[in-house]
């Protein structure tokens, strides 16, 4: 059976330390019919040089360079605009995929006849040491996702043939991925998930996402943008629905990670 084209979206900004590993993890997929659409958000390090080298070596790598820094949401949208594939997938410039990620997820989407798919993923540190795991449920609904984002962007794939080429990251500075998946779920209703890990999420010590308190206003902004909540209602929903759900998710991730690391250690002895 002929493989449908997958458009992989990757924003970059001063990503030279991890970029090559991320790109290679995409290009080395067992599912080979893909294009890697990279939009560089005005990097000032060696990122642009690395991108030019990969683009020269592999025609599947297609790079656009922005003249100003706009943020990852704009960079992702620039790549989505250029996408020619049936499927849209995401991989950030410091994350990595398992070689069989696309093959397994697209097969799962075919079996489930669905428009949106995600998977579990491993968590690693800046030195590629595995520190934990995020195990996805078998499926996610709009109601579940409204309480808290349960889709790792690096695992998400959606089907343009089913949904149309109309979904982009909303014009908010952070948490655009959560807002995007909520908008998609408002139409397709359900996301089917692969429960085995298919990617590595890099948890960096001083990244913006590591400071959860600084993200509160951006989480609230998602409720205002996607659901049209007033600011007061958005904060109330955040406090009464998001925070309890997020707390339970973190506790579950800690338990799952402890058990996973214990098993991994036992298997290496």
């Amino acid at each position: 059976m002929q493989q449908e084209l997958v458009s992989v979206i990757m924003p970059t900004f001063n990503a030279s330390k991890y970029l090559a590993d991320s790109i290679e993890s995409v290009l080395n997929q067992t599912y080979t019919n893909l294009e890697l659409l990279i939009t560089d958000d005005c990097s000032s390090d060696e990122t642009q040089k690395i991108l030019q080298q990969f683009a020269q070596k592999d025609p599947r790598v297609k790079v656009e360079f922005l003249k100003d820094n706009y943020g990852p949401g704009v960079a992702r949208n620039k790549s989505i605009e250029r996408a020619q594939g049936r499927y849209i997938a995401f991989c950030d410039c410091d994350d990595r995929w398992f070689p069989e990620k696309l093959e397994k997820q697209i097969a799962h989407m075919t079996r489930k006849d669905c428009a949106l798919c995600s998977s579990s993923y491993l968590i690693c540190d800046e030195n590629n040491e595995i520190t934990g795991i995020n195990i996805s449920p078998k499926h996610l609904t709009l109601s579940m996702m409204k309480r808290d984002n349960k889709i790792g962007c690096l695992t998400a794939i959606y089907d343009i043939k089913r949904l149309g080429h109309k979904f982009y990251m909303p014009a908010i500075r952070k948490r655009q991925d959560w807002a995007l998946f909520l908008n998609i779920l408002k139409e397709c209703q359900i996301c089917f998930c692969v429960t085995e890990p298919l990617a590595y999420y890099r948890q960096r010590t001083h990244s913006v996402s590591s400071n959860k308190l600084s993200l509160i206003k951006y989480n609230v902004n998602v409720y205002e943008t996607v659901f049209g909540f007033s600011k007061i209602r958005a904060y109330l929903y955040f406090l009464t629905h998001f925070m309890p759900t997020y707390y339970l998710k973190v506790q579950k991730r800690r338990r799952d990670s402890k058990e996973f690391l214990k098993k991994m250690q036992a298997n290496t002895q």
Side-chain angles (χ1 to χ4, degrees), residues 176-194:
Q176 314 96 339
D177 55 337
W178 182 28
L180 170 68
F181 303 141
L182 286 170
N183 281 328
I184 291 175
L185 282 168
K186 286 167 73 174
E187 179 160 326
C188 72
Q189 301 300 312
I190 192 166
C191 170
F192 283 100
C193 313
V194 178

Side-chain angles (χ1 to χ4, degrees), residues 121-125 129-134 201 203 253 256-258 260-261 264:
Y121 57 88
L122 299 182
I123 303 166
C124 68
D125 63 17
E129 293 292 328
I130 297 173
T131 60
I133 188 171
N134 188 88
Y201 170 75
Q203 197 167 50
R253 181 186 294 166
D256 291 340
S257 295
K258 184 177 180 180
F260 176 81
L261 293 172
M264 189 173 70

Side-chain angles (χ1 to χ4, degrees), residues 57-68:
K57 289 191 299 183
D58 195 319
R60 295 178 298 172
V61 179
K62 303 170 184 178
V63 185
E64 178 179 354
F65 298 98
L66 301 182
K67 295 182 180 179
D68 296 295

Side-chain angles (χ1 to χ4, degrees), residues 32-253:
T32 58
N33 190 19
L34 61 88
E35 58 177 1
L36 177 53
L37 303 172
I38 303 175
T39 300
D40 182 70
D41 201 19
C42 197
S43 293
S44 58
D45 65 354
E46 294 295 306
T47 293
Q48 295 191 1
K49 180 180 178 181
I50 295 170
L51 293 178
Q52 290 169 343
Q53 291 172 344
F54 272 102
Q56 290 171 0
K57 289 191 299 183
D58 195 319
R60 295 178 298 172
V61 179
K62 303 170 184 178
V63 185
E64 178 179 354
F65 298 98
L66 301 182
K67 295 182 180 179
D68 296 295
N69 179 262
Y70 295 100
V74 171
R76 288 189 182 112
N77 284 344
K78 289 290 185 180
S79 291
I80 294 173
E81 288 173 4
R82 296 184 283 133
Q84 298 296 311
R86 171 175 176 174
Y87 298 99
I88 299 288
F90 299 91
C91 184
D92 280 354
C93 56
D94 55 356
D95 297 327
R96 291 172 293 142
W97 286 355
F98 286 24
E100 66 277 10
K101 177 191 182 294
L102 288 181
E103 182 179 358
K104 288 188 175 182
Q105 278 192 261
I106 292 174
H108 193 66
M109 294 177 78
T110 301
R111 286 193 300 270
K112 294 295 185 179
D113 194 28
C114 68
L116 178 63
C117 180
S118 66
S119 80
S120 301
Y121 57 88
L122 299 182
I123 303 166
C124 68
D125 63 17
E126 294 170 340
N127 299 311
N128 291 333
E129 293 292 328
I130 297 173
T131 60
I133 188 171
N134 188 88
I135 300 177
S136 177
K138 292 183 178 180
H139 71 274
L140 293 165
T141 63
L142 177 63
S143 176
M144 294 165 70
M145 279 287 289
K146 186 176 180 181
R147 291 172 176 265
D148 170 50
N149 185 17
K150 296 174 176 63
I151 295 178
C153 189
L154 74 164
T155 74
I157 303 177
Y158 67 91
D159 186 346
I160 284 181
K161 185 175 180 180
R162 293 175 177 273
L163 297 169
H165 202 154
K166 61 186 177 183
F167 286 102
Y168 294 88
M169 298 279 171
I172 54 180
R173 190 68 184 179
K174 295 179 176 65
R175 305 313 304 271
Q176 314 96 339
D177 55 337
W178 182 28
L180 170 68
F181 303 141
L182 286 170
N183 281 328
I184 291 175
L185 282 168
K186 286 167 73 174
E187 179 160 326
C188 72
Q189 301 300 312
I190 192 166
C191 170
F192 283 100
C193 313
V194 178
T195 54
E196 68 174 297
L198 295 177
Y200 296 92
Y201 170 75
R202 191 181 304 279
Q203 197 167 50
R204 293 160 66 182
T205 307
H206 301 295
S207 67
V208 174
S209 61
S210 68
N211 186 350
K212 302 304 181 185
L213 289 177
S214 69
L215 291 175
I216 290 177
K217 64 180 180 181
Y218 299 108
N219 291 323
V220 169
N221 197 12
V222 168
Y223 293 122
E224 296 175 281
T225 302
V226 176
F227 298 105
F229 287 1
S230 66
K231 189 168 291 292
I232 292 176
R233 185 182 178 189
Y235 269 102
L236 285 174
Y237 195 93
F238 173 81
L239 292 172
T240 58
H241 292 76
F242 180 99
M243 285 301 296
T245 304
Y246 178 77
Y247 173 79
L248 292 175
K249 182 180 77 171
V250 170
Q251 296 305 310
K252 180 180 182 301
R253 181 186 294 166

Side-chain angles (χ1 to χ4, degrees), residues 22-29 32 34 36 54 58 60-61:
S22 297
I23 292 177
E24 288 171 355
S25 78
V26 174
L27 298 180
N28 292 333
Q29 289 293 295
T32 58
L34 61 88
L36 177 53
F54 272 102
D58 195 319
R60 295 178 298 172
V61 179

